[in-house]
């Protein structure tokens, strides 16, 4: 009976040690991989044909990626609310 108790204690120790090791590994990988997992770089204004005036009645101020007052989720800032680019998507 005592043998079984010792065996369970050893198993529990192995499980806890394994969990601690996994937690440490996740923490270390998170620290190392964190910057690499950052949001992708925004497109340059030139690469998306950004212009400071609307096109076909569409402008940044009605695009889903527009972030008031002068930013965009996908294109490098600054942009103008009246601007437009070829990634335009109506909000
Ligand atoms: S039209 Fe282009 S630059 Fe303007 S908010 Fe949309 S994605 Fe950004």
């Amino acid at each position: 009976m005592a043998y079984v108790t010792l065996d369970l204690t050893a198993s529990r120790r192995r499980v806890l040690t394994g969990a601690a090791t996994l937690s440490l590994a996740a923490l270390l990988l998170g620290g190392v991989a964190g910057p690499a997992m950052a949001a992708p770089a925004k497109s340059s204004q030139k690469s998306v044909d950004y212009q400071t005036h609307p096109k076909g009645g569409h402008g940044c101020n009605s695009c889903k990626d527009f972030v008031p007052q002068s930013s965009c989720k996908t294109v490098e800032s600054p942009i103008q609310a009246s601007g437009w680019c070829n990634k335009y998507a109506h909000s």
Side-chain angles (χ1 to χ4, degrees):
M1 192 66 165
Y3 178 77
V4 172
T5 303
L6 282 175
D7 191 37
L8 287 176
T9 302
S11 294
R12 181 182 299 165
R13 187 177 303 129
R14 278 196 300 270
V15 167
L16 291 174
T17 301
T21 302
L22 284 176
S23 297
L24 180 60
L27 186 65
L28 291 173
L29 286 175
V32 170
M37 301 290 286
K42 293 183 178 183
S43 301
S44 71
Q45 293 183 1
K46 184 175 183 178
S47 72
V48 296
D49 300 323
Y50 174 77
Q51 59 190 40
T52 56
H53 55 277
K55 182 173 184 177
H58 296 142
C60 294
N61 58 357
S62 64
C63 176
K64 70 175 183 60
D65 291 335
F66 181 60
V67 180
Q69 297 292 317
S70 58
S71 294
C72 172
K73 294 176 188 171
T74 59
V75 177
E76 291 177 344
S77 300
I79 61 162
Q80 296 182 18
S82 60
W84 176 91
C85 84
N86 63 21
K87 293 175 81 175
Y88 175 86
H90 200 281
S91 60

